Amino acid sequence: MRVWAAPCEGVGFWQHSSNGNCSDGRIKPDIIAPAQEIPTACPPYRACRNRMIDERHATFGGTSAAAAIVSGAAGLLVAWWLDLFGRLPSPAMIKAILVNEALDNGAGPNYSQGWGRLYLKDLFNSDNSFTFVDRNVVTEGECHEFYVESKEHPVKISLVWDDVTQPSTNNNAVINQLVLCAQTNSKTFFGNNFSEGWSVFGYAPDLVNNVQKLVLPAGIYRVSIRPVRLLGRANESIQQLNQDYSLVVKNATVRYGTRTRRVQESNYTLLEA
């Protein structure tokens, strides 16, 4: 997870913060967070006298502040998930929620904002519904498909996976590569292809990032998660090459197979294979 700094007001990133992307084309940062003149504790002996608010507090900023703010948000998400579903979420699920709910400035994912600005208010708004799939495993030759339907609200779908830890054999930093795709009315949308904040069709799949997102108008879509390159085993108990993943779907009814168990809590649904 890479976090960079944003102004406390407005959109965009703070001019004193770094920007991306990675040399292999991966989108970084993942998200941005407010980090300009953030109040913090500062003992008198520290070299922050020019930013003092009072004798014990000063302001600071940059990616150090942004990372702390996002870490706090991630910690609260873990506690909320544990209380809701009675188990710990995977790191990929926490990242998927943060990416899915990030506020886009309208440009789509890019080197200055990643997928947008930290924002979790909608997650706790009862007007929204969320479906989660955590730690599901796809093996070589498989394709996981499901249908989503929304009659009114835009649909947001985010796919994240924790890649295997082994040396890369090519120029790609990501070892196991999955592709997120949605189809409707002869149109095919691949993750991370955006124009003015909306997913657009007619572009090639993303074969670089292990974070992929779709933002689609209300409708019915057939969504698929397909491995296009598996070089390792994320789940060592499975003999085939495989990768586990986490998925978040916002404001849509999800049909994810007849053998899937649903854990329903209010407007939150956890699907388990």
Side-chain angles (χ1 to χ4, degrees), residues 161-166 172-177 210 229 234 243-244:
W161 65 96
D162 290 326
D163 200 24
V164 295
T165 54
Q166 67 183 47
N172 297 311
V174 177
I175 307 299
N176 286 345
Q177 186 66 57
N210 66 327
R229 182 180 67 247
Q243 179 61 54
D244 58 353

Side-chain angles (χ1 to χ4, degrees), residues 79-159:
W80 167 79
W81 182 283
L82 183 61
D83 182 63
L84 188 67
F85 295 119
R87 71 205 71 179
L88 288 172
S90 68
M93 174 53 70
I94 295 301
K95 185 173 181 179
I97 294 173
L98 291 172
V99 166
N100 202 68
E101 292 307 288
L103 284 180
D104 177 24
N105 66 9
N110 58 46
Y111 68 89
S112 61
Q113 69 151 2
W115 276 266
R117 185 185 181 103
L118 175 67
Y119 187 80
L120 292 174
K121 185 177 180 180
D122 279 0
L123 183 65
F124 308 109
N125 186 336
S126 60
D127 293 336
N128 298 307
S129 64
F130 291 86
T131 300
F132 307 103
V133 179
D134 197 18
R135 296 187 178 95
N136 207 10
V137 178
V138 61
T139 60
E140 194 171 28
E142 276 190 317
C143 178
H144 290 184
E145 291 189 345
F146 58 97
Y147 287 86
V148 302
E149 179 179 0
S150 175
K151 297 180 179 180
E152 182 179 359
H153 299 288
V155 180
K156 288 186 177 182
I157 306 172
S158 292
L159 169 71

Side-chain angles (χ1 to χ4, degrees), residues 144-241:
H144 290 184
E145 291 189 345
F146 58 97
Y147 287 86
V148 302
E149 179 179 0
S150 175
K151 297 180 179 180
E152 182 179 359
H153 299 288
V155 180
K156 288 186 177 182
I157 306 172
S158 292
L159 169 71
V160 177
W161 65 96
D162 290 326
D163 200 24
V164 295
T165 54
Q166 67 183 47
S168 176
T169 57
N170 50 41
N171 293 327
N172 297 311
V174 177
I175 307 299
N176 286 345
Q177 186 66 57
L178 309 180
V179 167
L180 175 64
C181 172
Q183 295 176 297
T184 185
N185 298 328
S186 301
K187 296 178 181 178
T188 300
F189 301 84
F190 290 108
N192 297 350
N193 292 320
F194 281 85
S195 177
E196 298 182 349
W198 292 91
S199 294
V200 291
F201 65 92
Y203 290 85
D206 183 341
L207 302 180
V208 177
N209 289 283
N210 66 327
V211 177
Q212 301 196 7
K213 184 174 182 179
L214 292 164
V215 180
L216 302 162
I220 301 175
Y221 299 90
R222 184 177 69 179
V223 180
S224 64
I225 300 168
R226 184 188 305 273
V228 296
R229 182 180 67 247
L230 293 179
L231 302 177
R233 292 186 298 154
N235 188 327
E236 293 290 345
S237 66
I238 299 176
Q239 291 301 311
Q240 295 171 277
L241 295 172

Side-chain angles (χ1 to χ4, degrees), residues 28-42:
K28 296 296 172 184
D30 293 294
I31 63 173
I32 57 177
Q36 182 181 6
E37 298 184 358
I38 301 298
T40 184
C42 183

